[in-house]
């Protein structure tokens, strides 16, 4: 299954956002391109707007100026009943999300304040890179480049491969962020154009992986093992988003280390503490954030788990320092 938009002509991607000056998505300052569509359903996902396959309407009630002052979305092209006001409550617009799924760019375009907007817009490689290249000066100063993320960028393999190949042609270094739960052929198409391959290992327990992410980890682990072996010269960075009560056990971290340590091209293992940064976006999409009552991750848990990773790599700070340019043992971090 893929989400390549154009069946003939140059591939297009369904882009949700192009975010400049990112510090967490690879070495240096990154320009990160978020693509739509994902094959997992992680309950903690902080980018719910990237999960679905098609463009999606979103609504931020705080930006609505009200039906009396505006009311444009109460009429076509919006389907009848998709937007409504509640008599006697207030003047603000409410959304019937079952009907709003039929709303598209035309509905969002009538909104003068940006309260209604669309996640997902078709873009060509040139259109994306013309925007990414605005950051060339920061790339040169910081060693940064383009990162393609999602969603799952490997579900748009033709577009992602073409984008990264052309980025290389323009002298920009490349990274991907991927869960790698896709057919291996997709990954094989993209990997030759990737300098830094950031990939999740969410849980080594297949059942837990399925319960919390919607699919077993088997295809992920099979793909990664094959990939490490097929591309010995690529730089791989493993990541685990550490979720309290889900995958925060020492047993899980040690099992992950056992999986990656035999492969010297896995140059780093990052532990990413659970956060709720994306929670408000669920409301904008008419969805519920399932982990609303989840506890925060205790600081001592992440410190303890990072110590295990540091010991395994023989380097203090290995799991924290964003320094994948340095191979194991060559850095000076004390
Ligand atoms: S078009 Fe936008 S600002 Fe106007 S009523 Fe609808 S949501 Fe509110």
């Amino acid at each position: 299954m893929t989400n390549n938009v154009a069946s003939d002509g140059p591939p297009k991607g369904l882009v949700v956002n192009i975010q400049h000056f990112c510090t967490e998505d690879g070495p240096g300052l990154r320009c990160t391109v978020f693509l739509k569509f994902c094959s997992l359903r992680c309950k903690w996902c902080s980018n719910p707007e990237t999960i679905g396959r098609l463009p999606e309407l979103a609504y931020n009630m705080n930006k609505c100026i009200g039906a009396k002052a505006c009311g444009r979305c109460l009429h076509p092209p919006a389907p009848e009943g998709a937007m409504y006001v509640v008599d006697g409550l207030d003047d603000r617009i409410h959304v019937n999300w079952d009907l709003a799924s039929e709303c598209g760019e035309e509905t969002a375009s009538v909104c003068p304040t940006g309260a209604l907007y669309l996640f997902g817009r078709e873009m060509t490689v040139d259109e994306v890179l013309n925007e990414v290249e605005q950051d060339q000066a920061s790339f040169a100063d910081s060693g940064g480049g383009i990162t393609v993320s999602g969603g799952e960028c490997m579900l748009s393999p033709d577009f992602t491969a073409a984008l990264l190949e052309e980025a290389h042609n323009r002298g920009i270094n490349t990274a991907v962020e991927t869960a790698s739960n896709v057919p291996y052929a997709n990954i094989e198409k993209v990997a030759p154009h990737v300098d830094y391959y950031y990939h999740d290992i969410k849980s080594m327990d297949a059942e837990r992986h399925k319960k919390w992410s919607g699919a077993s980890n088997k295809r992920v682990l099979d793909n990664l093992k094959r990939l490490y072996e097929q591309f010995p010269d690529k730089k791989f960075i493993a990541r685990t988003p550490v979720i309290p009560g889900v995958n925060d056990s020492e047993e899980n971290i040690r099992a992950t280390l056992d999986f990656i340590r035999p492969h010297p091209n896995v140059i780093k293992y990052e532990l990413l503490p659970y956060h709720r940064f994306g929670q408000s976006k669920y409301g904008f999409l008419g969805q519920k954030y399932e982990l609303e009552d989840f506890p925060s991750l205790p600081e001592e848990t992440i410190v303890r788990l990072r110590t295990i990773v540091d010991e395994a790599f023989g380097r203090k700070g290995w799991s924290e320092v964003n320094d994948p340019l340095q191979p194991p043992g060559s850095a000076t971090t004390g």
Side-chain angles (χ1 to χ4, degrees):
M1 181 186 285
T2 68
N3 208 30
N4 296 308
V5 174
S7 55
D8 50 2
K12 290 182 179 176
L14 204 47
V15 177
V16 171
N17 188 19
I18 299 177
Q19 201 165 316
H20 299 267
F21 309 118
C22 301
T23 56
E24 309 285 337
D25 302 334
L29 291 172
R30 314 298 302 179
C31 187
T32 304
V33 181
F34 294 87
L35 300 183
K36 224 165 176 336
F37 199 26
C38 189
S39 55
L40 294 178
R41 295 292 182 271
C42 303
K43 294 184 191 297
W44 55 84
C45 180
S46 57
N47 294 320
E49 74 281 16
T50 65
I51 293 175
R53 184 171 200 160
L54 300 172
E56 262 172 290
L57 190 76
Y59 172 55
N60 182 350
M61 188 183 273
N62 295 327
K63 291 187 176 176
C64 175
I65 54 177
K68 288 195 184 80
C70 172
R72 294 184 198 178
C73 60
L74 293 169
H75 310 288
E80 190 177 348
M83 316 291 163
Y84 61 97
V85 285
V86 180
D87 286 341
L89 180 62
D90 57 30
D91 182 45
R92 291 195 290 186
I93 296 298
H94 297 259
V95 179
N96 179 331
W97 287 103
D98 291 333
L99 297 174
S101 63
E102 295 167 31
C103 293
E105 199 169 355
E106 285 182 340
T107 300
S109 69
V110 304
C111 181
T113 66
L116 289 167
Y117 53 102
L118 204 67
F119 282 123
R121 144 173 97 104
E122 282 186 23
M123 294 183 77
T124 64
V125 165
D126 272 346
E127 285 170 337
V128 172
L129 284 178
N130 288 347
E131 180 161 347
V132 170
E133 280 187 316
Q134 294 170 13
D135 296 356
Q136 277 282 24
S138 75
F139 296 160
D141 291 345
S142 69
I146 184 174
T147 299
V148 186
S149 185
E152 174 53 79
C153 61
M154 297 293 177
L155 286 172
S156 308
D158 292 344
F159 177 74
T160 301
L163 179 61
L164 298 183
E165 183 177 17
E166 181 57 20
H168 272 165
N169 291 341
R170 300 187 192 191
I172 300 171
N173 81 54
T174 65
V176 290
E177 291 179 323
T178 168
S180 301
N181 181 46
V182 299
Y184 189 74
N186 294 22
I187 297 174
E188 210 171 18
K189 194 174 273 184
V190 176
H193 310 294
V194 176
D195 296 319
Y196 304 99
Y197 193 104
Y198 286 75
H199 64 79
D200 283 0
I201 300 181
K202 298 172 197 295
S203 174
M204 292 300 288
D205 182 298
E207 281 307 309
R208 277 180 173 261
H209 199 282
K210 185 166 185 183
K211 176 180 175 187
W212 292 97
S213 291
S216 161
N217 60 7
K218 183 173 183 332
R219 181 161 68 167
V220 173
L221 298 180
D222 287 351
N223 281 345
L224 291 176
K225 193 164 184 306
R226 200 169 157 189
L227 190 60
Y228 297 156
E229 285 164 9
Q230 188 178 344
F231 295 94
D233 298 328
K234 296 286 174 195
K235 295 182 174 71
F236 294 91
I237 299 92
R239 282 174 158 175
T240 297
V242 183
I243 316 298
V246 175
N247 59 1
D248 59 344
S249 68
E250 288 189 21
E251 181 191 7
N252 182 54
I253 300 305
R254 289 190 193 282
T256 309
L257 285 164
D258 288 345
F259 180 79
I260 60 177
R261 285 295 287 152
H263 304 281
N265 46 351
V266 184
I267 62 167
K268 196 175 175 199
Y269 178 31
E270 296 181 339
L271 302 180
L272 310 178
Y274 168 64
H275 62 74
R276 297 165 187 264
F277 298 155
Q279 188 169 349
S280 60
K281 289 188 278 189
Y282 283 81
F284 297 158
L285 292 161
Q287 298 173 9
K288 183 170 166 41
Y289 181 65
E290 287 190 48
L291 304 191
E292 212 157 290
D293 300 324
F294 243 54
S296 302
L297 185 73
E299 177 67 19
E300 58 264 30
T301 301
I302 199 77
V303 168
R304 179 166 42 83
L305 297 179
R306 280 178 171 159
T307 301
I308 292 169
V309 174
D310 295 343
E311 285 171 1
F313 276 93
R315 177 189 165 191
K316 187 166 179 273
W318 187 248
S319 59
E320 298 174 79
V321 181
N322 187 14
D323 185 18
L325 290 166
Q326 302 276 347
S330 71
T332 54
T333 308

